[in-house]
Amino acid sequence: MAKFAVMGGYTADAWAKMIENPGDRTAAVTKAVEALGGKLESFYWSFGDDDFLGIVEAPDDAAAAAFSVAVGSSGALRNLRTIKLISIQEGQKILEKAKMTKAVYSPPGAKTPAAVR
């Protein structure tokens, strides 16, 4: 399964409701992720622009996007972002493919591929 970082913030109204009725949001997030065939790996509160960070495993990009659309549509979140995470091993494969592609790519205005100049 692919991994995704899901981060964002709570609205002022959501914070007010959580203060009135404190609880662990992990159960709600877990239930939503599992409904799409995924798994919540970890969930943190954070300081700064973002109030939370979740690491989610999802069967595919569509499931991760559906999770974000579903929770984002609640109106309780702001600046919600879902970022696909790439393992170091996948990164190595990407670099090899980039090396091969760079050898044949011609940037705008060039008459020969960038690696041949």
Side-chain angles (χ1 to χ4, degrees), residues 34-60:
E34 288 177 351
L36 293 162
K39 177 184 170 192
L40 177 64
E41 184 177 298
S42 55
F43 190 65
Y44 301 95
W45 278 10
S46 57
F47 292 118
D49 292 335
D50 294 316
D51 298 326
F52 63 84
L53 165 69
I55 304 298
V56 172
E57 289 186 352
D60 52 37

Side-chain angles (χ1 to χ4, degrees), residues 10-22 76:
Y10 295 110
T11 63
D13 186 53
W15 276 118
K17 289 177 181 177
M18 289 190 293
I19 289 169
E20 289 175 22
N21 186 20

Side-chain angles (χ1 to χ4, degrees), residues 84-103:
K84 187 169 186 173
L85 301 176
I86 299 170
S87 71
I88 298 301
Q89 295 79 16
E90 290 172 309
Q92 292 293 335
K93 291 177 185 176
I94 290 167
L95 291 174
E96 287 299 321
K97 287 183 180 188
K99 180 179 180 180
M100 183 176 54
T101 304
K102 185 177 179 180

Side-chain angles (χ1 to χ4, degrees), residues 105-115 117:
Y105 173 70
S106 295
K111 295 181 180 178
T112 59
R117 288 185 184 184

